[in-house]
């Protein structure tokens, strides 16, 4: 059972040790890679245990649920913990060559691993207040990473980021207070059991809408999404990549958790009305924002908003097929969007800019990078045979089954506009000749090239594996959706004989 806690304990211990060896930069770098590797190994072992043996539960301090804090690993949380660990390892390797000594001196490694601990802790907790605690750990660490270096542009983005996220935290805490006052418990399994017997469903729906707004802000969903494109392009690219892959997914996970376990008394209103329109508007507004941008990281940031819409759409449709597709989309996006940010960092390393007007000729000067970008961009746009195609196909097929034709049309149109943005980056940065006066920086050393390209290779291979091995992954996501849509599995695992 200790294996359930290891993916949290390892990055927290790494953050503490990194503070102790503050002056030993090289030691910090390799500790970061070693720690991320250990987290991935323990996450894979945890996933294997859950996959074979069912939901795993640990009661902290020996206090049985619902009185103490429970840490719970079901298929959804173990899949996302594994994906998080994979992203963290890739970012840690990439940072060896991309993170400046100045940023390292300001605490990059302790903050990175504290953020990873916060993300994984949020995925594994079975207590609604403890989820808030992990959110705050993640927020503090991510804010520190966002302002690392203290440049003017970073501070402007950080102000919007922290303001809206503090609003989200205040709403989240208020919702928890109301929920505890009404139900008298904070354990999610116990909440699910008690609210299913509620005699005042209107109060439950009102509280659920507070959670919806709080988690919607965290997920960067419409309408309070603008903190994301205002901030993700400002820090060093390794930080942008980690943010793009991980932070919004905690908000999406929280929506999936509470709206499949706790708030399911009025699915027609909460899911098929509110969540559905939130998903549609997130898709459309995000992709239109991306189409208007001409800076690589801004384009990718707006597309993060758009892609969040597909994930919310899977939950909103609330059929096994759609939920399975939404979860697959989360995993796909964690990998592909992180990878596209890492690729943008290599583009910047070669020509000193993220602006499309100052880039060009990469198809000829960096053919391997061009191939890696083409695969990742095709996957993001939903072209076969990559992970993005399978995720969109399952979500849209779920929409067909639910006969939500507007949502289907929006998803298909957004896919075409996503392809337009990816073609725009390809045409400007890779195909057209390098503009006169554009920079060409010094060649990379072998070690630098390895650290920058190796994690990109890993992520490209992963999106290809998910696409080509779609049958196994879709079956896994169906099993995950079945667990989510049958809350009794979770309740029995956590409460057991305590009911």
């Amino acid at each position: 059972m200790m294996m359930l806690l290891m993916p949290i304990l390892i990055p927290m211990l790494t953050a503490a040790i990194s503070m102790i060896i503050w002056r030993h930069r090289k030691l910090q770098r390799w500790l970061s890679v070693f720690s991320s590797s250990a987290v991935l190994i323990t996450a894979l072992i945890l996933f294997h245990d859950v996959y074979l043996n069912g939901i795993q539960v640990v009661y902290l301090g020996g206090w049985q649920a619902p009185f103490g804090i429970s840490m719970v690993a079901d298929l959804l949380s173990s899949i996302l913990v594994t994906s998080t660990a994979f992203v963290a390892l890739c970012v840690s390797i990439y940072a060896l060559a991309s993170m400046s000594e100045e940023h390292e001196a300001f605490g990059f490694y302790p903050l990175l691993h504290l953020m990873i601990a916060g993300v994984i802790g949020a995925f594994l907790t079975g207590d609604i207040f403890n989820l808030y605690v992990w959110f705050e750990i993640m927020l503090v660490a991510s804010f520190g990473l966002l302002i690392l270096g203290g440049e003017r542009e970073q501070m402007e983005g950080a102000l919007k980021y922290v303001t809206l996220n503090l609003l989200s935290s205040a709403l989240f805490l208020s919702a928890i207070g109301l929920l505890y006052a009404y139900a008298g418990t904070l354990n999610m399994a116990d909440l699910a059991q008690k609210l299913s017997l509620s005699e005042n469903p209107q109060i439950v729906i009102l509280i659920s809408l507070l959670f919806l707004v709080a988690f919607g802000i965290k997920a960067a969903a419409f309408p309070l999404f603008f903190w994301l494109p205002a901030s993700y392009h400002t820090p060093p690219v390794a930080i942008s990549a980690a943010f793009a892959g991980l932070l919004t997914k905690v908000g999406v996970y929280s929506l999936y958790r509470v709206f499949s376990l706790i708030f399911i008394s009025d699915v027609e209103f909460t899911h098929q009305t509110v969540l559905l329109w939130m998903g549609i508007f997130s898709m459309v507004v995000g992709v239109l924002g991306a189409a208007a941008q001409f800076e690589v990281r801004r384009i990718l940031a707006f597309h993060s908003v758009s892609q969040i819409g597909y994930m919310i759409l899977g939950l909103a449709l609330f059929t096994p097929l759609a939920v399975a597709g939404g979860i697959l989309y989360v995993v796909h996006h964690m990998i592909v969007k992180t990878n596209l940010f890492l690729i943008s960092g290599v583009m910047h390393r070669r020509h000193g800019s993220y602006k499309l007007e100052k880039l060009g000729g990469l198809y000829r000067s960096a053919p391997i990078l061009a191939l890696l970008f083409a695969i990742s961009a095709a996957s993001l746009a939903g072209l076969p045979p990559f992970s993005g195609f399978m995720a969109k196909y399952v979500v849209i097929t779920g929409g067909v089954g639910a006969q939500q034709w507007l949502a289907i049309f929006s998803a298909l149109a957004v896919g075409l506009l996503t392809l337009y943005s990816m073609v725009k980056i390809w045409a400007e940065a890779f195909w057209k000749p390098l503009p006169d006066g554009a920079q060409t920086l010094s060649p990379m050393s072998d070690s630098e090239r390895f650290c920058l390209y190796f994690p990109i290779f890993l992520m490209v291979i992963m999106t290809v594996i998910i696409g080509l091995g779609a049958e196994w992954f879709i079956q896994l996501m169906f099993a995950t959706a079945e667990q989510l849509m049958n809350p009794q599995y979770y309740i029995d695992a956590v409460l057991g004989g305590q009911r």
Side-chain angles (χ1 to χ4, degrees):
M1 289 297 184
M2 277 300 294
M3 191 55 64
L4 193 154
L5 300 178
M6 293 305 290
I8 303 173
L9 296 176
I10 292 171
M12 293 192 75
L13 182 61
T14 303
I17 295 174
S18 296
M19 293 291 292
I20 295 172
I21 57 173
W22 185 273
R23 297 181 182 277
H24 301 277
R25 302 279 182 264
K26 188 174 182 179
L27 192 56
Q28 282 191 71
R29 294 174 194 138
W30 291 109
L31 174 64
S32 175
V33 175
F34 175 78
S35 169
S36 299
S37 302
V39 173
L40 179 57
I41 291 169
T42 55
L44 286 168
I45 295 172
L46 176 62
F47 168 73
H48 182 262
D49 287 346
V50 173
Y51 185 72
L52 292 182
N53 304 315
I55 299 172
Q56 308 290 304
V57 184
V58 169
Y59 304 105
L60 298 184
W63 289 87
Q64 293 290 315
F67 305 107
I69 295 174
S70 305
M71 304 302 289
V72 186
D74 61 355
L75 279 173
L76 176 62
S77 55
S78 62
I79 287 169
L80 295 185
V81 168
T82 305
S83 301
T84 298
F86 179 67
V87 169
L89 176 59
C90 291
V91 170
S92 296
I93 296 172
Y94 190 91
L96 296 177
S98 67
M99 195 57 58
S100 69
E101 291 187 5
E102 179 185 11
H103 289 103
E104 290 177 337
F106 282 121
F108 168 71
Y109 294 107
L111 289 170
L112 174 66
H113 289 279
L114 187 62
M115 186 187 79
I116 292 167
V119 171
I120 294 176
F123 289 152
L124 291 176
T125 186
D127 181 278
I128 197 74
F129 183 77
N130 195 235
L131 178 62
Y132 168 80
V133 172
W134 289 117
F135 264 59
E136 293 308 291
I137 291 173
M138 182 183 72
L139 176 62
V140 169
S142 59
F143 181 66
L145 288 169
L146 192 59
I147 63 172
L148 213 61
E151 297 175 7
R152 180 183 177 87
E153 189 179 35
Q154 288 178 259
M155 302 306 289
E156 291 177 357
L159 183 62
K160 296 173 184 177
Y161 172 84
V162 77
T163 300
L164 270 179
N165 276 276
L166 286 176
L167 172 63
S168 171
S169 297
L171 289 171
F172 188 10
L173 192 58
S174 300
I176 290 172
L178 290 172
L179 191 60
Y180 183 70
Y182 180 75
T185 184
L186 295 170
N187 182 275
M188 290 193 221
D190 200 31
L191 282 168
Q193 188 168 254
K194 289 185 175 179
L195 294 187
S196 67
L197 305 173
S198 172
E199 297 179 355
N200 296 290
Q202 293 84 2
I203 294 177
V204 175
I205 292 172
L206 178 62
I207 295 172
S208 76
L209 292 178
L210 283 176
F211 279 100
L212 178 63
V213 175
F215 294 149
I217 295 173
K218 297 288 187 185
F222 181 88
L224 296 174
F225 62 86
F226 50 84
W227 60 267
L228 190 154
S231 57
Y232 273 24
H233 68 286
T234 59
V237 70
I239 297 173
S240 294
F243 281 14
L246 302 179
L247 293 190
T248 54
K249 309 312 178 297
V250 179
V252 172
Y253 163 81
S254 301
L255 287 171
Y256 269 80
R257 178 62 70 199
V258 301
F259 284 96
S260 65
L261 177 65
I262 300 173
F263 302 117
I264 54 174
S265 60
D266 192 353
V267 170
E268 185 176 349
F269 174 69
T270 56
H271 294 65
Q272 295 167 4
T273 301
V274 181
L275 279 169
L276 182 68
W277 284 105
M278 180 183 286
I280 291 172
F281 277 114
S282 296
M283 286 191 294
V284 173
V285 172
V287 81
L288 291 177
Q293 300 299 317
F294 290 89
E295 199 260 27
V296 178
R297 288 200 293 177
R298 283 183 178 272
I299 293 172
L300 297 176
F302 271 102
H303 274 302
S304 290
V305 177
S306 177
Q307 308 298 306
I308 292 297
Y310 285 95
M311 304 170 205
I312 294 175
L313 180 60
L315 175 62
L317 296 172
F318 210 59
T319 65
L321 185 62
V323 170
I327 299 166
L328 182 58
Y329 211 104
V330 174
V331 175
H332 144 76
H333 192 263
M334 291 174 79
I335 296 166
V336 171
K337 185 49 67 72
T338 302
N339 204 30
L340 284 167
F341 269 92
L342 296 184
I343 291 170
S344 75
V346 179
M347 295 159 65
H348 183 272
R349 171 62 184 81
R350 295 185 67 89
H351 294 299
S353 180
Y354 293 102
K355 296 181 178 180
L356 294 179
E357 63 186 20
K358 297 182 179 180
L359 296 171
L362 288 170
Y363 174 73
R364 297 168 185 81
S365 63
I368 294 176
L369 182 67
L371 176 63
L372 297 173
F373 172 81
I375 294 173
S376 299
S379 184
L380 187 74
L383 298 182
F386 309 115
S387 60
F389 171 76
M390 297 312 306
K392 284 186 180 178
Y393 174 78
V394 178
V395 171
I396 291 171
T397 304
V400 172
Q403 296 186 345
Q404 292 287 352
W405 307 114
L406 178 60
I408 295 166
F409 173 78
S410 300
L412 292 172
V414 167
L416 290 175
L417 287 173
T418 303
L419 180 60
Y420 162 76
S421 291
M422 295 301 103
V423 170
K424 180 170 67 175
I425 296 175
W426 174 266
E428 291 292 317
F430 290 87
W431 194 252
K432 83 172 193 293
L434 186 66
D436 294 335
Q439 297 184 67
T440 300
L441 304 184
S442 59
M444 303 179 196
S445 65
D446 290 342
S447 60
E448 184 182 12
R449 184 179 291 106
F450 175 82
C451 291
L452 294 179
Y453 276 85
F454 181 64
I456 295 173
F457 270 113
L458 288 180
M459 291 194 160
V460 166
I461 290 169
M462 199 64 220
T463 191
V464 173
I465 289 173
I466 294 175
L468 297 181
E471 182 178 358
W472 184 84
F473 283 97
I474 291 174
Q475 288 177 352
L476 172 63
M477 300 311 164
F478 263 116
T480 306
E482 182 184 1
Q483 272 193 358
L484 283 179
M485 299 189 72
N486 291 276
Q488 201 62 45
Y489 292 143
Y490 189 97
I491 294 169
D492 290 342
V494 175
L495 298 181
Q498 304 300 314
R499 289 178 290 150

